[in-house]
Amino acid sequence: KTVWYYPRIKAWINRIGLRNPGLGWVERKHAAGKLDPSDKLISIHGFDEPQWLDLLERTAALQPLGIELNMSCPNVGEVSWPASLFPASVEIERKQSVPVVVKLPPVRYAEMAKAAVDAGLTRFHACNTLPVPAGGLSGAPLKPVALACVAELRNTYGDAIEIIAGGGIREPQDIDDFRRAGADAFAIGTKVMNPLYLVHHGGLRGLIERASA
């Protein structure tokens, strides 16, 4: 009920993102031997410094494939981060060997990227949904914005960083475009959330339930 598809522009708009049961649920599943985080990139978002640092430490303790700092969801207000977050993330990488990825906004990301690089972080996800009056816009209209973000990051930091690219990837040509812009890996949420695919697999709720099983 929080995500809508607009076929005319091949776009999704969400007002809260894809709801999930939270990190506590992941911890309980892991403790019960029912979930293996080692092949999963776990995305977290905090609303203040204590919550950010708590989520960071608890997620790292699960030894996931990586931790994504979801820095820029349009549905949570102004984009900001505590000064301690990026240095604490570098310490997590150093002490627990868990990679940390900074998920950047599609606009006004330069300051955030520089602060992360200055702290010692080298992995980025470009980029999050585009803020619009109805919420966060993803899908095909996000692709040119994401391409520009990837290209600027690569031109600015060269081979010193790794980039996960995403935004409107629906076919191999889109991956080729992002690769030429400088991406190392690719997020295919637009393809996974194909409306026809969802119709045949129990809708968005069914997809989320299977992913959480």
Side-chain angles (χ1 to χ4, degrees):
K1 295 182 179 180
T2 63
V3 183
W4 293 267
Y5 182 66
Y6 293 81
R8 184 177 63 82
I9 59 173
K10 297 182 175 63
W12 296 87
I13 295 180
N14 75 78
R15 289 184 180 172
I16 196 171
L18 296 179
R19 294 187 178 189
N20 62 76
L23 185 59
W25 178 90
V26 176
E27 291 170 322
R28 292 189 295 273
K29 284 281 189 179
H30 176 54
K34 297 181 178 179
L35 187 150
D36 178 10
S38 66
D39 63 349
K40 296 172 178 64
L41 181 67
I42 299 180
S43 185
I44 61 173
H45 177 84
F47 290 93
D48 55 32
E49 183 174 30
Q51 189 177 68
W52 266 119
L53 298 181
D54 176 63
L55 289 170
L56 183 64
E57 292 177 2
R58 287 167 57 194
T59 306
L62 297 168
Q63 286 292 296
L65 178 67
I67 302 171
E68 179 181 82
L69 306 178
N70 189 348
M71 305 293 298
S72 56
C73 179
N75 302 299
V76 297
E78 182 180 354
V79 175
S80 61
W81 65 94
S84 62
L85 178 59
F86 293 156
S89 299
V90 173
E91 280 297 293
I92 288 292
E93 290 191 325
R94 184 177 67 85
K95 291 182 178 179
Q96 302 200 41
S97 300
V98 177
V100 176
V101 179
V102 180
K103 189 171 187 180
L104 296 169
V107 293
R108 296 186 296 276
Y109 49 79
E111 180 185 356
M112 183 185 297
K114 184 178 185 303
V117 170
D118 287 348
L121 295 174
T122 60
R123 299 174 179 89
F124 294 93
H125 182 171
C127 54
N128 213 328
T129 54
L130 189 67
V132 296
L137 177 73
S138 59
L142 182 59
K143 181 184 171 184
V145 181
L147 278 170
C149 179
V150 170
E152 183 170 343
L153 288 172
R154 184 59 72 203
N155 289 336
T156 302
Y157 299 106
D159 294 335
I161 65 171
E162 298 176 55
I163 304 172
I164 302 171
I169 293 178
R170 301 170 63 242
E171 55 189 40
Q173 179 62 50
D174 298 317
I175 290 179
D176 291 340
D177 292 341
F178 276 110
R179 188 183 299 280
R180 281 192 292 270
D184 300 293
F186 312 91
I188 56 171
T190 297
K191 182 62 176 178
V192 172
M193 291 181 63
N194 181 295
L196 292 177
Y197 176 89
L198 294 176
V199 166
H200 293 291
H201 292 80
L204 187 57
R205 182 182 298 275
L207 180 64
I208 294 171
E209 288 174 349
R210 284 194 305 282
S212 302

